[in-house]
């Protein structure tokens, strides 16, 4: 009997927690989340001293504080992707010096270099790189060729078969091999989920392409909140256009010389606030201000003289027409009474005869 009571108690507690979680889930889905578009001007705000993947994740987390991030776009010319920042160049020089001393035997590592793909150990980094290129890089190229040459269901099976191996290779390759072009900016942003687009090496080419992309998104109503990563004042017109369409606007970047872009947007954050995570905390108050603004806009009365004048003229015309109709109805009643009394004099009943009688 005691065991049955314990079982019933556990069952009812599980049911209660399930209903509470289901109610909370329904409450979360009942509130419509804002669709956010993250647009990054890489020519103006490249992640020079910070790893690109880390910066991209920080931006995505900050943008997700305003709603659901549906689009993440980054534009730059080929020079931006091929450029190597000064910090990255200095770190590469230090590593090359260390590896050269290691090859000469001046420096000995306490632990050997480990290949993260197959687990083999090497005493110098040069032997590790040669092993990786001769064995694992060739295997990766064979897998890619097999997938590209296959068709239909066979291609799907090969992708599922080699997906874990290819992901493991890419992760190790980023640490072992030096990127052939730049410092891997495009690949790191793609890995973070950005749609990266390269434009021609012309002045303001990336700005024009990014502005067109933003306007196209607004025309098709794919975003309700625009998050722009830039300090360029050329984007002021796009931010104004977004505000005219009643979209939320957020600007991320350092304070420029005049700060026009940040003053135009609804809210703005600095580069340091994004990296330190302060933007996510401040986004709560920003969202509350947006909700209050939307409520006030619904309650706001606007005076449009043309519409009100037209409405007033229509009301006067209706009133005059209704008054004329009433007067005509009165005259019609009088005419009807008069027509009823018309007839020959000998057929009419006179009141004098009644009096004499």
């Amino acid at each position: 009997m005691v065991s049955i009571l314990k079982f019933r108690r556990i069952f009812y507690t599980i049911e209660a927690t399930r209903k509470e979680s289901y109610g909370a889930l329904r409450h979360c889905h009942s509130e419509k989340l804002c669709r956010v578009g993250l647009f990054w001007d890489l020519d103006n705000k490249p992640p020079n001293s910070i790893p690109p993947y880390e910066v991209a994740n920080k931006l995505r987390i900050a943008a997700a504080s305003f709603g659901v991030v549906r689009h993440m776009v980054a534009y730059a010319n080929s020079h931006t992707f091929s450029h190597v920042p000064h910090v990255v160049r200095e770190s590469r020089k230090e590593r090359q010096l260390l590896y050269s001393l290691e090859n000469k035997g001046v420096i000995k590592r306490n632990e050997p270099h480990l290949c993260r793909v197959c687990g083999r150990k090497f005493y110098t980094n040069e032997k590790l790189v040669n092993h990786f290129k001769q064995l694992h890089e060739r295997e990766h190229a064979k897998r890619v060729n097999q997938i590209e040459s296959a068709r239909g269901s066979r291609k799907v099976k090969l992708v599922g078969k080699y997906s874990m191996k290819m992901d493991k290779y890419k992760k190790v390759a980023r640490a072992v091999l030096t990127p052939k072009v730049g410092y891997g900016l495009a690949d790191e942003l793609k890995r973070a989920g950005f749609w990266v687009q390269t434009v021609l090496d012309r002045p303001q080419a990336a700005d024009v392409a990014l502005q067109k992309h933003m306007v196209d998104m607004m025309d098709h109503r794919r975003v309700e909140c625009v998050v722009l990563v830039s300090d360029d004042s050329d984007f002021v017109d796009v931010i104004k256009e977004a505000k005219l369409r009643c979209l939320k606007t957020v600007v991320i970047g350092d304070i420029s010389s005049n700060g026009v872009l940040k003053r135009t947007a609804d809210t703005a954050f600095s580069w340091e606030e994004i990296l330190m995570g302060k933007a996510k905390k401040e986004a709560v108050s920003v969202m509350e201000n947006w909700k209050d603004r939307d409520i006030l806009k619904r309650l706001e009365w606007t005076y449009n003289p043309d519409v009100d004048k037209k409405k007033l003229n229509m009301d006067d015309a209706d009133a005059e027409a209704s008054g004329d109709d009433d007067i005509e109805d009165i005259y019609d009643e009088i005419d009807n009474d008069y027509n009823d009394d018309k007839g020959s004099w000998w057929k009419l009943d006179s009141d004098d005869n009644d009096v004499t009688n």
Side-chain angles (χ1 to χ4, degrees):
M1 187 67 180
V2 176
S3 61
I4 294 172
L5 292 175
K6 287 183 178 179
F7 176 77
R8 290 179 62 184
R9 189 180 300 169
I10 293 169
F11 176 75
Y12 285 128
T13 53
I14 292 172
E15 283 291 318
T17 54
R18 187 180 65 84
K19 289 180 180 179
E20 289 178 0
S21 61
Y22 179 72
L25 187 63
R26 284 187 61 188
H27 178 71
C28 291
H29 283 287
S30 62
E31 296 181 357
K32 186 179 178 182
L33 295 176
C34 183
R35 292 175 295 179
V36 181
L38 180 57
F39 304 94
W40 193 353
D41 182 14
L42 282 172
D43 286 350
N44 184 264
K45 296 298 295 180
N48 291 325
S49 59
I50 309 163
Y53 184 75
E54 181 181 349
V55 176
N57 283 330
K58 293 284 187 180
L59 289 173
R60 180 178 54 81
I61 292 170
S65 304
F66 302 102
V68 181
V69 181
R70 293 291 182 87
H71 306 279
M72 295 193 300
V73 182
Y75 274 83
N77 53 29
S78 59
H79 175 71
T80 302
F81 293 116
S82 61
H83 174 69
V84 180
H86 178 71
V87 178
V88 178
R89 288 199 302 267
E90 292 296 327
S91 64
R92 285 183 180 179
K93 288 180 180 178
E94 292 177 359
R95 280 189 297 172
Q96 289 296 329
L97 179 61
L98 181 64
Y99 294 152
S100 63
L101 295 175
E102 193 177 70
N103 293 332
K104 294 177 181 179
V106 178
I107 299 175
K108 290 185 179 180
R109 290 174 58 92
N110 296 327
E111 296 180 357
H113 296 277
L114 180 65
C115 179
R116 300 293 178 179
V117 178
C118 61
R120 291 184 61 182
K121 298 180 181 179
F122 302 90
Y123 290 100
T124 61
N125 183 73
E126 185 178 358
K127 291 182 179 180
L128 173 62
V129 172
N130 293 333
H131 159 77
F132 194 85
K133 288 181 178 179
Q134 292 175 3
L135 182 62
H136 301 300
E137 194 172 17
R138 289 180 181 179
E139 290 178 352
H140 180 72
K142 288 180 181 179
R143 296 191 193 104
V144 172
N145 292 333
Q146 285 182 4
I147 292 172
E148 291 179 353
S149 60
R151 294 290 183 272
S153 60
R154 176 173 170 75
K155 187 172 185 177
V156 176
K157 290 179 181 179
L158 288 174
V159 171
K161 180 181 178 181
Y162 295 140
S163 60
M164 294 184 65
K165 292 182 179 179
M166 294 178 72
D167 291 341
K168 188 176 183 181
Y169 168 81
K170 291 178 182 178
K171 188 183 294 185
V172 178
R174 284 191 293 268
V176 176
L177 301 178
T178 303
K180 298 179 181 179
V181 179
Y183 64 114
L185 176 60
D187 295 335
E188 291 294 294
L189 294 182
K190 290 177 182 178
R191 186 164 69 97
F194 272 85
W195 185 75
V196 181
Q197 185 66 23
T198 307
V199 298
L200 299 176
D201 291 334
R202 294 178 182 176
Q204 305 298 325
D207 296 347
V208 173
L210 186 57
Q211 289 174 11
K212 289 182 179 179
H213 197 131
M214 294 172 68
V215 173
D216 182 69
M217 288 284 186
M218 290 187 285
D219 290 339
H220 291 85
R221 297 180 181 179
R222 295 179 181 175
V223 293
E224 297 168 353
C225 177
V226 176
V227 180
L228 176 65
V229 185
S230 179
D231 279 334
D232 198 344
S233 59
D234 294 337
F235 289 94
V236 171
D237 295 334
V238 180
I239 296 297
K240 289 181 179 179
E241 180 67 22
K243 294 184 72 174
L244 288 174
R245 301 190 187 198
C246 298
L247 301 180
K248 280 82 174 177
T249 54
V250 181
V251 172
I252 297 173
D254 299 327
I255 300 175
S256 57
S257 58
N258 48 10
V260 177
L261 190 60
K262 287 196 170 187
R263 289 199 304 268
T264 307
D266 293 334
T267 184
F269 299 101
S270 65
W271 200 247
E272 294 181 358
E273 289 175 346
I274 296 296
L275 297 177
M276 295 177 65
K278 292 183 178 180
K280 185 178 180 180
K281 298 178 181 178
E282 296 179 4
V284 178
S285 61
V286 174
M287 294 286 288
E288 291 178 356
N289 293 333
W290 283 346
K291 288 180 181 178
D292 296 340
R293 186 183 66 181
D294 293 340
I295 293 172
L296 290 175
K297 280 187 177 180
R298 292 173 188 171
L299 300 175
E300 188 179 19
W301 176 77
T302 56
Y303 173 68
N304 192 344
D306 297 332
V307 176
D308 292 341
K309 188 176 181 181
K310 187 183 293 184
K311 186 177 179 181
L312 182 63
N313 292 334
M314 291 180 66
D315 293 339
D316 293 341
D318 293 338
E320 291 176 0
S322 62
D324 294 338
D325 293 339
D326 295 337
I327 293 172
E328 290 178 358
D329 293 336
I330 294 170
Y331 281 120
D332 290 337
E333 291 177 359
I334 295 172
D335 292 338
N336 291 331
D337 294 338
Y338 180 72
N339 290 330
D340 292 337
D341 293 339
K342 287 181 72 175
S344 301
W345 62 273
W346 61 84
K347 294 181 179 179
L348 296 176
D349 295 333
S350 61
D351 295 335
D352 296 337
N353 293 330
D354 294 335
V355 171
T356 55
N357 292 329

